[in-house]
């Protein structure tokens, strides 16, 4: 059975990577998909995000990475996937995830959302936090893999050049 792990991944962090690794131990195939979250301001293009995910998951088998412009339920239907997996960090995640999964269920009744608890090491970690730390030159090594750290540094440099 194939599962779909969607997210904005702007950028991917060790928290996401941990969920993906654990999914590959439980399911025969994991489809990682970059989708737009209109509620968030994106730093990286979809192509850049996919590239960072590819580099970060190098060597991990049974994973496919791509992107979709549109509703998650439409993409799941197109892929023939009936299980969406979302990571849950803390109670603060629950409200938004609860609403999203119920809305998705309303639009696609046969689609189930499974929640996987984030490892406690990454319970505080988010892409937004990582971007903020990068913006002020903080250490990123325990939050994101080296290719993502390099991309973040380059992005901060280019943002500073633009002013
Ligand atoms: O990593 P994120 O930002 O929490 O991921 C959220 C994401 C991208 C999965 C969500 O915003 C999404 O599904 N976007 C696609 C558009 C969509 O289906 N929106 C309706 C959600 S009820």
């Amino acid at each position: 059975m194939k599962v779909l792990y969607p997210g904005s991944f702007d950028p991917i962090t060790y928290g996401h990577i941990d969920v993906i690794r654990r999914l590959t131990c439980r399911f025969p195939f994991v489809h990682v998909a970059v989708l737009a979250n209109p509620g968030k301001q994106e730093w990286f293009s979809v192509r850049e995000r996919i590239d960072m995910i590819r580099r970060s998951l190098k060597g991990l088998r049974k994973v496919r990475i791509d992107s979709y412009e549109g509703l998650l339920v439409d993409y799941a239907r197109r892929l023939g996937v009936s299980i969406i997996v979302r990571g849950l960090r803390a109670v603060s995640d629950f409200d938004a995830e609860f609403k999203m999964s119920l809305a998705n269920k309303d639009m696609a009744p046969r689609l189930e959302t499974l929640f996987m608890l984030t490892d406690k090491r990454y319970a505080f970690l988010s892409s937004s936090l990582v971007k903020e730390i990068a913006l002020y030159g903080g250490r990123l090594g325990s939050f994101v893999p080296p290719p993502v750290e390099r991309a973040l540094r380059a992005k901060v440099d280019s943002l500073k050049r633009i002013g």
Side-chain angles (χ1 to χ4, degrees), residues 1-6 27 29-33 64 66 72-85 108-114:
M1 181 187 292
K2 182 162 65 173
V3 293
L4 176 58
Y5 180 55
F27 295 94
F29 201 83
V30 180
H31 199 110
V32 178
R64 172 148 192 229
D66 67 7
L72 177 58
V73 289
D74 290 337
Y75 191 45
R77 207 174 281 135
R78 181 186 285 199
L79 290 174
V81 171
S82 59
I83 298 181
I84 288 172
V85 178
R110 293 195 341 198
L111 194 61
E112 296 292 349
T113 304
L114 296 187

Side-chain angles (χ1 to χ4, degrees), residues 43-45 48 135 149-162:
W43 270 29
F44 295 99
S45 69
E48 288 171 320
L135 201 53
E149 178 166 1
R150 283 194 292 275
L152 278 162
R153 301 270 178 236
K155 187 61 74 177
V156 169
D157 284 348
S158 75
L159 289 174
K160 285 188 176 155
R161 269 200 303 277
I162 295 166

Side-chain angles (χ1 to χ4, degrees), residues 6-10 16 33-40 68 70-74 86 89 97 99-101 103-104 107 127:
S8 44
F9 302 113
D10 187 50
H16 299 122
V34 175
L35 284 100
N37 182 340
K40 290 182 179 170
Y68 185 71
L71 284 176
L72 177 58
V73 289
D74 290 337
R86 296 282 293 165
R89 286 166 300 194
E97 293 298 333
K99 288 176 187 154
M100 197 162 82
S101 89
N104 284 338
M107 292 185 278
S127 301

